[in-house]
Amino acid sequence: MASRRPRRGRTRENVMRGDGSTTSRIPGPPLEDDGAAAIVAAGGLHTYQLKLHAEYGPVVRFPLPGADVAVSVADPVLLEATAKIDKRPEELFAFLAPLQESGNLQTMPAAEHGPWRRVMLSVLAGRPSHEAHFARFTALTSELAGRWAARAASGEAVALQKDLSELSLRMICEYALGSGLESEESAGRVVSAFEDVLTEYLARLYHADVPGDAEERRVRADEALAYLRATVDRVLAAHGTHGTSGAAADRSDMIAALVEAGEPPARIRDSVLMTMLAAHHTTGVAISWTLYLLARHPDAAARAAAELDRVLGGRAAPDYGDLRELPYLERVVKEAMRLYPPGPYGARETTEDLVLGEYTVPAGTTIFYPFWAVHMNPGYWPEPERFDPGRFTPEASAGRPRLAYIPFGLGPRGCEGAALAMVEAELVLAILLKRFRFHLVPEQTVTPIERFVLWAAEDIRMILRPRPSA
């Protein structure tokens, strides 16, 4: 990790007295404290951003724990000025550092980040690797569908996020490690371990008062982190990381690609661990929110099912090439991620003075990306709270600013696994929607909360019924 340097940008004192830039003129809430209490009172940073931009407009300055004062931008045109920034605020992402012994991958300097990102993209974004793993992804999803069918027959509800997070974790383990976890139970234990680690470190970041004994929670988080590292080490040992000097890496194999690129073992392990962390949460919750929205909009669910019947006929699962023949399903996924972006926000740090419309902010300023607020901007998304997959037809998308829709982030720090996530989501949804109709358990309250991703507080419980055509 790069050494920490004094912040020359948006300290609270500089903004309050004015420091030669126009940052002090940006509207926003009072700056008397670090903002943690206001974030908690609003129900989380994701909902706080919606509140801030609704009250103060498209550019807001606000106190942010770990970043002194941040400037949040919810207008996609203004975001263009920030799209090439390749630096994340070190303090803001420090809570992830305990997961990484080779230096924080989230904040590594641009000179290191660029080559590492190219290797990751060569694997995660490549069609050959998607095709290479597609059959195994299909088998894993079909196994889950079989278990769900047994529950449906007994009238038992399913918890979408729990099961789909475990499924996407097993998928990414197949992808990143070349070997799946040993069983469904071990996948569940990995998910639980990630939750213990993130609950503890997010609580530290926001100074949150988490129920339970603080020391017991810290010990549980330490044990969970040790278990995660041991799990990855065990699979890496079985996989073999020695490589062959000069041999061309298999670009469907993340470990082989990182070995060929000359990454040290600790960096390889950290890359795998962070990929597992990011992918299992984000893909699982994206699929969950999509099914939630389809359950609330049966006409859209029926249209998606009809498209699947037309393309697949009597087949229970698509081939890789079938995905391109499912444009309505793709639009459904995109609209779901507009309404419920898996990662609801991001951040960068300016490395030079930056002009944002009528404001100029100096180097060292934390630029906050409120993805959810961007997606709910009524200037670009009429009736933004309405579910409408038609927003993503070519005709409706024409002329819309490219950064009006950023579920995977933007610029050189955007998600390397975006293409893989879309393949996984469309495959899983195709299999499940071909087989089941989804009905929300009555009288449940589904509340989005911030737990590293946009999670549903009490999960999303569904009653499944077989489709007649299945």
Side-chain angles (χ1 to χ4, degrees):
M1 184 190 304
S3 60
R4 182 174 170 182
R5 61 174 176 76
R7 297 179 63 87
R8 52 169 290 215
R10 301 304 77 221
T11 65
R12 191 171 301 109
E13 292 77 12
N14 285 348
V15 171
M16 292 181 71
R17 69 171 182 261
D19 58 357
S21 73
T22 59
T23 307
S24 59
R25 293 198 292 107
I26 297 175
L31 301 175
E32 284 85 2
D33 54 35
D34 68 357
I39 292 170
V40 172
L45 189 51
H46 59 306
T47 47
Y48 186 51
Q49 288 303 302
L50 295 178
K51 175 178 179 292
L52 284 180
H53 286 286
E55 183 173 353
Y56 295 105
V59 182
V60 179
R61 57 104 186 97
F62 72 105
L64 179 65
D68 294 315
V69 176
V71 174
S72 183
V73 185
D75 185 279
V77 176
L78 295 178
L79 280 174
E80 287 285 358
T82 75
K84 294 184 179 180
I85 301 175
D86 192 354
K87 179 174 174 56
R88 282 190 171 131
E90 292 182 19
E91 292 182 32
L92 198 59
F93 288 84
F95 75 100
L96 290 172
L99 285 171
Q100 301 159 86
E101 293 183 330
S102 66
N104 195 331
L105 298 176
Q106 299 298 315
T107 60
M108 68 169 71
E112 289 182 61
H113 175 252
W116 176 85
R117 176 177 171 82
R118 285 191 289 275
V119 174
M120 298 296 284
L121 284 171
S122 73
V123 180
L124 292 169
R127 174 173 175 169
S129 60
H130 297 169
E131 290 184 297
H133 295 275
F134 197 81
R136 184 58 182 149
F137 287 177
T138 300
L140 289 171
T141 307
S142 298
E143 290 172 10
L144 174 64
R147 294 193 296 272
W148 277 7
R151 294 187 200 174
S154 65
E156 180 184 353
V158 301
L160 293 187
Q161 289 181 149
K162 174 183 178 296
D163 288 354
L164 290 169
S165 290
E166 291 183 9
L167 171 64
S168 56
L169 175 63
R170 296 185 74 185
M171 285 180 170
I172 200 60
C173 287
E174 292 274 358
Y175 202 101
L177 302 174
S179 173
L181 294 178
E182 295 171 354
S183 66
E184 182 183 4
E185 290 73 25
S186 62
R189 187 177 175 191
V190 170
V191 171
S192 177
F194 274 129
E195 291 302 311
D196 286 341
V197 171
L198 289 174
T199 296
E200 170 66 8
Y201 288 101
L202 282 171
R204 294 181 191 178
L205 176 65
Y206 295 124
H207 313 294
D209 184 16
V210 179
D213 181 78
E215 178 62 20
E216 179 181 333
R217 192 175 64 243
R218 184 192 65 77
V219 170
R220 187 166 63 246
D222 289 344
E223 291 175 348
L225 180 56
Y227 166 74
L228 290 172
R229 285 176 172 157
T231 298
V232 175
D233 281 342
R234 184 179 67 251
V235 181
L236 291 182
H239 180 282
T241 59
H242 55 280
T244 301
S245 179
D250 176 0
R251 290 301 170 175
S252 69
D253 187 325
M254 178 184 293
I255 295 172
L258 289 166
V259 169
E260 186 193 39
E263 296 288 355
R267 174 67 59 81
I268 294 172
R269 182 179 75 172
D270 287 352
S271 297
V272 169
L273 194 60
M274 289 306 297
T275 300
M276 290 167 60
L277 169 65
H280 99 268
H281 271 94
T282 50
T283 308
V285 297
I287 299 168
S288 299
W289 287 119
T290 303
L291 292 172
Y292 168 72
L293 287 164
L294 288 175
R296 293 182 58 194
H297 298 85
D299 290 348
R303 182 172 174 181
E307 180 182 69
L308 287 165
D309 289 344
R310 184 176 67 254
V311 173
L312 303 187
R315 290 180 291 140
D319 296 326
Y320 181 78
D322 290 325
L323 296 185
R324 72 184 72 177
E325 305 299 325
L326 300 169
Y328 186 73
L329 182 63
E330 180 183 10
R331 294 198 291 269
V332 165
V333 175
K334 287 182 175 180
E335 175 69 345
M337 289 196 294
R338 183 189 70 82
L339 285 166
Y340 297 102
Y345 49 78
R348 305 287 188 271
E349 183 178 313
T350 59
T351 54
E352 57 187 21
D353 290 357
L354 183 70
V355 176
L356 293 171
E358 62 182 291
Y359 308 112
T360 299
V361 296
T365 300
T366 294
I367 301 296
F368 192 85
Y369 292 156
F371 301 149
W372 208 8
V374 173
H375 290 181
M376 301 299 283
N377 187 325
Y380 303 96
W381 304 101
E383 299 179 78
E385 295 183 0
R386 180 170 58 89
F387 174 69
D388 179 12
R391 300 180 196 272
F392 290 94
T393 63
E395 297 77 16
S397 299
R400 184 183 297 142
R402 71 182 185 98
L403 299 183
Y405 179 70
I406 46 176
F408 297 108
L410 65 149
R413 296 276 177 169
C415 176
E416 290 85 8
L420 174 63
M422 287 299 294
V423 169
E424 289 181 336
E426 291 177 32
L427 167 63
V428 173
L429 287 165
I431 292 174
L432 296 179
L433 293 172
K434 190 77 167 65
R435 188 162 182 175
F436 303 110
R437 288 175 177 164
F438 289 80
H439 302 270
L440 284 162
V441 170
E443 299 182 2
Q444 67 175 307
T445 300
V446 178
T447 304
I449 62 170
E450 174 198 349
R451 292 191 64 183
F452 190 63
V453 294
L454 200 61
W455 198 259
E458 303 296 331
D459 214 308
I460 304 171
R461 293 176 295 124
M462 291 278 189
I463 298 294
L464 277 55
R465 295 190 176 94
R467 287 187 63 226
S469 61

